[in-house]
Amino acid sequence: SGRVDEADAATRALRTSAEGDDWRAMIATLAEAEQDRAAHRREPALEKFAHAMQSAERYNVPEDLVAVATSYLDALIEASQLDTARAIGGRIATWAERDSRAATAQAHLYRALGRDDAARKAEENAARLGAGAGFGATPVHP
């Protein structure tokens, strides 16, 4: 939304509150990655996304995996790192039938890979799940 100073302050506060809390640290890292991405700092963003993804995989909670992977996937596509994007997309593919974020991410990946028919199917699925209703319109439940 362009309110960089507010986002920086909120992320710093989150990072401070994360001391000793691995889950909060993962969320703080994800927020930092998003800020780096918004500021066009590609390499630091990708490093932070990768770190957040490693944490999400370690916890293996579907909600966290989808939240981190969808952001990471978009950043990877923007950076033309399609092999890594394919791997991350595969990690959340199982939830694409139930979660609008995962379905939308799959559609973005298929478009980037030039798989237009698969992208259309994923877009239809995302629409069916309510992707237009906002972030996590149909969240994953373990």
Side-chain angles (χ1 to χ4, degrees), residues 4-5 17 19 22 28 44 48 61 70 72 88 91 118 121 126:
V4 176
D5 292 339
S17 73
E19 192 170 319
D22 291 342
K48 289 173 184 152
V61 174
T70 54
Y72 188 20
I88 297 301
R91 186 66 178 95
K121 282 181 66 176

Side-chain angles (χ1 to χ4, degrees), residues 71-111:
S71 291
Y72 188 20
L73 188 63
D74 283 340
L76 288 165
I77 291 168
E78 287 172 5
S80 298
Q81 294 186 16
L82 298 182
D83 287 338
T84 304
R86 188 179 292 120
I88 297 301
R91 186 66 178 95
I92 62 169
T94 190
W95 298 296
E97 292 299 318
R98 297 181 279 170
D99 186 278
S100 61
R101 298 164 298 164
T104 299
Q106 293 295 311
H108 292 170
L109 177 60
Y110 291 141
R111 284 271 174 234

Side-chain angles (χ1 to χ4, degrees), residues 110-127:
Y110 291 141
R111 284 271 174 234
L113 295 172
R115 296 180 56 196
D116 292 337
D117 289 340
R120 265 191 297 283
K121 282 181 66 176
E123 288 163 352
E124 290 169 4
N125 187 45

